[in-house]
Amino acid sequence: MLAPTTEQAKPTLRPGRKRLVRRVLQADPGQEYLVYVPATISEKPPLFVSVHGMSRNADQHARLLAGYCDIYGAILVAPIFTAEEHPDFQRLGRVGRGKRADIALNLIVAEVSAMTPASGERFYLFGFSGGAQFAHRYLMANPHRVAAAVVAGAGWYTFPDATRRFPFGTRISNKLPDVRFDAEEFLSVPVTVMVGTKDSTKSGFRRSARLDGDQGVTRIARARNWVSAMKASAEAHHLESRVSFQKISNGTHSFKQSILAAGLGEKVFCALFGPPPVAPNHE
């Protein structure tokens, strides 16, 4: 199992031996992240970002997903959004609720792309639980940055409804003064929504009369309703829908269990990058 080493400023992160590095963001010494560069990468490797949930288990995300990055030749980034610095990271970081998580991720991606051959212009985004909340809201606010996304086990969603203020809808909010939602842009991003068939835990699952009535009373129901709303919005904008839904057989609301016992890792990387590359036959 990979154990992260800690580094401050370093000009490059080169492929070679497999190594998981915990770094301090040069533009903000209070911000840390994990980065993994496979031993073999292409000239322009994809950049894969994995966002933790409320347990802040970025190390677990990086360790359990690094092997898939070896297979696909992707550089992995796992931002660390602490409770002290980013208490509202799932909703991007509204005014008065800590630092902006979306801005922090942009700075992290820029730093990693400056140290590696990966381009930071468009990256592949994955989030689990609270990280899935962040991921779908990030792509809706920054669709030009995301090549494709997988949203797994989110508790609730921002719907493509311009009549409802963020975070329930995409109406502009003074809590995120510089964020604008362009439906035609975010509806064009390929998104796969995943929920485990055994994801029935109520721990950390936000309930209210408003959410239950609008979105459903289970994670599966809320995921299906969001996918349906995104498809309907695409149709209203005369666009082909890019959103799909997958149940993860035997998956629970445990990231570790979903990866090790329910095949979540394979499904995430296949959704983002397609089937794994086949090694050439030299016989």
Side-chain angles (χ1 to χ4, degrees):
M1 184 173 288
L2 292 167
T5 57
T6 303
E7 291 188 358
Q8 294 275 344
K10 187 174 181 178
T12 58
L13 287 169
R14 300 182 183 281
R17 65 187 181 90
K18 302 174 183 179
R19 190 161 61 118
L20 178 60
V21 177
R22 188 184 187 103
R23 286 188 50 85
V24 174
L25 182 64
Q26 290 182 273
D28 180 3
Q31 178 68 57
E32 293 186 317
Y33 65 93
L34 295 157
V35 60
Y36 176 76
V37 180
T40 303
I41 57 176
S42 66
E43 185 177 344
K44 290 292 183 181
L47 189 62
F48 169 74
V49 174
S50 185
V51 185
H52 61 71
M54 295 302 291
S55 61
R56 268 76 182 187
N57 58 338
D59 292 77
Q60 191 176 71
H61 273 237
R63 290 196 304 270
L64 293 178
L65 295 174
Y68 298 102
C69 289
D70 288 330
I71 295 171
Y72 284 87
I75 293 174
L76 179 148
V77 171
I80 301 170
F81 297 132
T82 66
E84 295 75 22
E85 296 284 329
H86 296 285
D88 192 51
F89 81 94
Q90 317 98 291
R91 289 167 288 278
L92 306 185
R94 293 166 293 173
V95 171
R97 303 188 185 216
K99 294 181 178 180
R100 286 278 295 273
D102 57 338
I103 292 174
L105 179 56
N106 290 341
L107 291 171
I108 291 168
V109 167
E111 182 167 288
V112 172
S113 63
M115 295 185 297
T116 70
S119 170
E121 291 184 10
R122 292 173 69 88
F123 55 88
Y124 295 83
L125 181 60
F126 166 66
F128 188 86
S129 189
Q133 290 191 44
F134 168 86
H136 86 275
R137 292 177 178 127
Y138 178 92
L139 77 86
M140 293 176 85
N142 304 272
H144 59 290
R145 302 300 308 277
V146 182
V150 173
V151 175
W156 63 289
Y157 298 81
T158 292
F159 273 59
D161 184 348
T163 69
R164 311 188 79 171
R165 183 174 286 122
F166 181 86
F168 297 97
T170 54
R171 180 178 158 196
I172 294 171
S173 169
N174 57 11
K175 297 295 185 180
L176 287 171
D178 59 340
V179 171
R180 300 290 183 273
F181 297 97
D182 185 325
E184 291 192 358
E185 290 289 335
F186 69 69
L187 290 168
S188 299
V189 179
V191 184
T192 305
V193 180
M194 299 182 181
V195 184
T197 58
K198 295 183 177 179
D199 188 348
S200 58
T201 179
K202 301 302 180 185
S203 176
F205 184 61
R206 183 170 177 174
R207 296 289 302 276
S208 70
R210 180 182 187 180
L211 276 177
D212 290 354
D214 290 349
Q215 301 194 18
V217 297
T218 67
R219 285 188 174 87
I220 290 177
R222 291 181 180 184
R224 286 193 180 279
N225 287 333
W226 187 75
V227 169
S228 294
M230 292 286 280
K231 287 183 175 180
S233 185
E235 183 177 355
H237 285 85
H238 307 288
L239 297 171
E240 180 183 353
S241 175
R242 308 296 302 278
V243 180
S244 61
F245 175 74
Q246 287 186 33
K247 282 186 179 180
I248 306 302
S249 181
N250 297 316
T252 67
H253 203 63
S254 162
F255 174 76
K256 183 177 181 180
Q257 184 277 341
S258 296
I259 292 291
L260 297 180
L264 178 62
E266 291 91 337
K267 290 176 174 60
V268 167
F269 277 77
C270 190
L272 292 176
F273 303 111
V278 178
N281 187 345
H282 296 294
E283 292 183 2

